[in-house]
């Protein structure tokens, strides 16, 4: 067996320790006589798995009592519709567009009502985060929407927008559990787990109780109402049981490492290794304004497409996988999620330095 360093943006690297644990329990979970994959979602064993996962997530994120935790399906893209269908009571929402994922969310919301783009960094190919301290918030906006970490463009919103009292909704898919957050600042904070938490198939939605409405937009299917899932503890229908189980193992792994405060230190240190190298390199450079750089997704380029392609090929051969940038941006992108060990970042930077040295002689 030889595991590579996988820099994929998602689905992405998972902690090896967690995979080994899952492997050990694959045929028989505890004393149940069966795999978690084979269990009824109504069984005691699975209910315990679900309860424990929620309990550990609440501990990791310090989630206040008046928030529900929902384990849903349909990926991040389903939330782009579910958010407006459930919250757009005035049929107006304000969107802050800082990259591909907030742009997609805003486009989808237009199906359901008026979408005002109150800030955007499209003018510079989403390479920065605009000042969000004094925006033109729409009087009757139902919520203000952000994607806090733009996975493709590699920016992070470090200072939350001043929403002037409006509900803040945030997609944190690609920075979920990478650092502490104050959940009470958000109305909804949600993420697809396949970036930083678990295997594709689960979307975790953390929603404040008062936003779980009975009255949502007409024609909203039962499955797309937050109420349905909140009232049934994420067991209205069959949830993605095995994937939730893996998320639960990842939560335990994070707790053991010291939680999100410890992860922030580790993640900052890992990102610093790569950014410091990029800042001093004559061949490679980062594409994002320094103050807005993501610790999770690091895009970089040489400025020459052929050279980028040559680098990606050479890196792949050296066991540094999935380093190619998103098709909409080009160049390279290294995703440094929680489960990427510091050894992987060092291996990447050493490889880049060798490649650069080879080009300069
Ligand atoms: C990947 C991603 C999505 C889309 O997730 P899917 O599960 O593929 O629908 C949405 N938002 C962000 C920030 C992402 O990184």
């Amino acid at each position: 067996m030889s595991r590579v360093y996988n820099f994929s943006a998602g689905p992405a690297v998972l902690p090896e320790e967690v995979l080994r644990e899952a492997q050990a329990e694959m045929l028989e979970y505890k004393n149940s006589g069966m795999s978690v994959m084979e269990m009824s979602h109504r069984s005691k064993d699975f209910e315990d798995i679900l309860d424990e996962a929620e309990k550990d997530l609440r501990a990791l994120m310090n989630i206040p009592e008046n928030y529900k935790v929902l384990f849903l399906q349909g990926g991040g893209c389903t939330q782009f519709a579910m958010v407006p269908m459930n919250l757009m009571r005035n049929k107006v929402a304000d969107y802050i567009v800082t990259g591909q994922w907030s742009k997609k969310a805003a486009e989808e919301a237009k199906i359901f009502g008026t979408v005002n783009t109150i800030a955007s960094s499209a003018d510079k190919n989403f390479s920065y985060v605009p000042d969000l301290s004094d925006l033109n918030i729409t009087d009757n906006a139902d919520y203000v929407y952000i994607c806090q970490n733009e996975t493709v463009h590699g920016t992070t919103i470090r200072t939350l927008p001043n929403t002037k009292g409006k509900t803040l909704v945030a997609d944190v898919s690609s920075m979920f559990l990478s650092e502490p957050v104050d959940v009470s600042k958000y109305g909804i904070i949600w993420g697809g787990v396949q970036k930083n938490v678990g295997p594709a198939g689960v979307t975790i939605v953390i929603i404040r109780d008062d936003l779980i409405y009975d009255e949502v937009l007409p024609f909203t299917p039962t499955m797309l109402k937050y109420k349905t899932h909140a009232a049934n503890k994420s067991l209205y229908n069959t949830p993605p049981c095995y994937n939730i189980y893996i998320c639960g193992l990842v939560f335990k792994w994070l707790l053991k490492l010291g939680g999100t405060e410890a992860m922030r230190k580790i993640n900052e240190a890992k990102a610093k290794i790569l950014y410091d190298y990029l800042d001093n390199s004559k061949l490679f450079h980062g594409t994002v304004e320094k103050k807005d750089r993501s610790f999770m997704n690091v895009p970089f380029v040489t400025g020459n497409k052929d050279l980028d392609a040559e680098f990606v090929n050479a890196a792949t051969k050296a066991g540094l996988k999935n380093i190619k940038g998103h098709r909409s941006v080009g160049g390279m992108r290294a995703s440094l999620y929680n489960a990427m060990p510091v050894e992987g970042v060092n291996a990447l930077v050493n490889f880049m330095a060798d490649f650069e040295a080879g080009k300069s002689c």
Side-chain angles (χ1 to χ4, degrees):
M1 187 189 74
S2 80
R3 283 179 55 84
V4 298
Y5 290 122
N6 178 9
F7 293 94
S8 171
V13 57
L14 286 168
E16 189 168 318
E17 203 180 308
V18 164
L19 295 177
R20 286 186 189 285
E21 223 177 315
Q23 182 183 42
E25 293 179 333
M26 171 73 83
L27 288 177
E28 182 178 17
Y29 176 75
K30 297 204 170 150
N31 291 318
S32 67
M34 62 181 83
S35 170
V36 175
M37 281 183 237
E38 303 169 298
M39 273 176 197
S40 163
H41 59 296
R42 310 275 174 209
S43 65
K44 176 81 172 69
D45 277 319
F46 183 71
E47 261 188 54
D48 289 349
I49 289 171
L50 186 61
D51 286 347
E52 188 103 347
E54 174 170 343
K55 184 182 93 207
D56 289 341
L57 181 65
R58 283 186 177 275
L60 280 167
M61 294 180 74
N62 203 7
I63 300 174
E65 294 260 324
N66 60 325
Y67 283 74
K68 293 275 184 299
V69 175
L70 311 177
F71 294 90
L72 307 182
Q73 302 190 60
C77 290
T78 297
Q79 289 312 304
F80 296 166
M82 214 162 157
V83 167
M85 289 175 112
N86 283 268
L87 297 194
M88 257 196 189
R89 296 157 72 81
N90 298 327
K91 298 208 177 180
V92 183
D94 287 349
Y95 277 69
I96 293 168
V97 177
T98 51
Q100 159 170 308
W101 291 114
S102 45
K103 190 168 170 228
K104 275 202 166 173
E107 285 304 318
E108 185 75 1
K110 285 177 190 165
I111 298 173
F112 307 101
T114 304
V115 168
N116 301 309
T117 300
I118 54 166
S120 167
S121 54
D123 60 335
K124 291 185 189 160
N125 194 28
F126 301 121
S127 59
Y128 71 106
V129 173
D131 179 3
L132 306 176
S133 60
D134 185 18
L135 300 169
N136 216 343
I137 306 285
T138 310
D139 277 345
N140 61 341
D142 291 305
Y143 58 89
V144 176
Y145 184 100
I146 59 171
C147 172
Q148 202 167 343
N149 187 80
E150 284 285 0
T151 322
V152 171
H153 291 90
T155 58
T156 299
I157 297 177
R158 303 230 176 266
T159 309
L160 292 177
N162 176 0
T163 64
K164 302 180 182 170
K166 302 290 183 197
T167 298
L168 179 65
V169 176
D171 170 3
V172 296
S173 297
S174 47
M175 64 182 295
F176 219 153
L177 297 173
S178 67
E179 55 182 80
V181 288
D182 180 352
V183 173
S184 71
K185 296 208 163 105
Y186 306 80
I188 296 180
I189 179 167
W190 69 266
V193 304
Q194 75 271 26
K195 308 293 158 65
N196 203 23
V197 180
V202 185
T203 309
I204 297 175
V205 174
I206 300 160
I207 178 168
R208 212 175 56 221
D209 285 336
D210 60 291
L211 297 170
I212 303 171
Y213 299 116
D214 287 314
E215 293 286 312
V216 296
L217 291 190
F219 304 109
T220 300
T222 308
M223 275 296 287
L224 297 187
K225 292 179 186 168
Y226 291 127
K227 175 92 192 185
T228 302
H229 301 285
N232 292 283
K233 294 184 76 181
S234 303
L235 289 169
Y236 171 74
N237 73 325
T238 318
C241 302
Y242 193 77
N243 306 43
I244 292 172
Y245 154 74
I246 300 282
C247 291
L249 295 182
V250 171
F251 298 156
K252 294 224 178 284
W253 177 76
L254 288 169
L255 285 167
K256 204 168 71 185
L257 287 179
T260 51
E261 195 55 67
M263 287 322 297
R264 189 228 308 260
K265 290 203 187 90
I266 295 169
N267 288 326
E268 268 187 35
K270 281 189 304 187
K272 187 173 187 305
I273 294 170
L274 181 50
Y275 283 125
D276 280 352
Y277 173 74
L278 289 171
D279 289 343
N280 290 303
S281 170
K282 292 200 172 58
L283 183 66
F284 300 101
H285 57 270
T287 57
V288 172
E289 268 185 31
K290 280 190 190 176
K291 68 177 185 13
D292 303 319
R293 287 166 161 178
S294 168
F295 298 148
M296 296 282 99
N297 311 99
V298 182
F300 56 96
V301 295
T302 63
N304 173 329
K305 280 197 174 117
D306 295 334
L307 205 51
D308 286 351
E310 186 187 330
F311 175 75
V312 169
N313 272 331
T316 307
K317 285 200 188 102
L320 307 166
K321 303 281 185 190
N322 296 317
I323 203 88
K324 191 163 184 260
H326 189 269
R327 53 195 142 70
S328 68
V329 178
M332 282 71 70
R333 171 179 49 174
S335 294
L336 312 179
Y337 296 127
N338 286 344
M340 172 57 65
V342 66
E343 290 80 8
V345 187
N346 283 325
L348 173 62
V349 164
N350 290 338
F351 186 81
M352 289 167 76
D354 285 348
F355 187 87
E356 181 168 353
K359 292 294 159 193
S360 61
C361 55

